[in-house]
Amino acid sequence: MIKYLWTELRTMLKTVTPAQAIAHELIHAEHDLLRAETGVEYAQSMVTYNKNRVKRLKAYLAVDEVKEIV
């Protein structure tokens, strides 16, 4: 962590070439992409979980309604 902060500080204080700036920005873009993909995976899991939950609860409700009729 300290090494990363030191590298960031050095990068901010020195003159960098356009290629170095692009490489640095690319690293940040790749990290942002990984975080976004993780968020998508989590959201998709939550959608699947809640669909299954609704299906299960509707099935329980249908069984209870049949029991009340009988």
Side-chain angles (χ1 to χ4, degrees), residues 18-43:
Q20 289 171 326
I22 291 169
H24 184 75
E25 187 173 343
L26 177 60
I27 290 169
H28 286 285
E30 288 172 337
H31 286 146
D32 290 343
L33 176 61
L34 287 172
R35 274 189 239 112
E37 287 175 339
T38 298
V40 168
E41 288 174 4
Y42 174 79

Side-chain angles (χ1 to χ4, degrees), residues 44-56:
Q44 186 59 49
S45 296
M46 291 305 297
V47 167
T48 302
Y49 165 76
N50 282 306
K51 282 183 178 181
N52 291 335
R53 184 176 164 207
V54 166
K55 190 186 306 181
R56 176 179 49 84

Side-chain angles (χ1 to χ4, degrees), residues 2 9 17 24 31 47 61-62 68 70:
I2 292 174
L9 183 61
T17 66
H24 184 75
H31 286 146
V47 167
L61 187 60
E68 287 177 10
V70 173

Side-chain angles (χ1 to χ4, degrees), residues 54-65:
V54 166
K55 190 186 306 181
R56 176 179 49 84
L57 293 172
K58 284 183 178 180
Y60 285 147
L61 187 60
V63 168
D64 285 343
E65 288 174 356

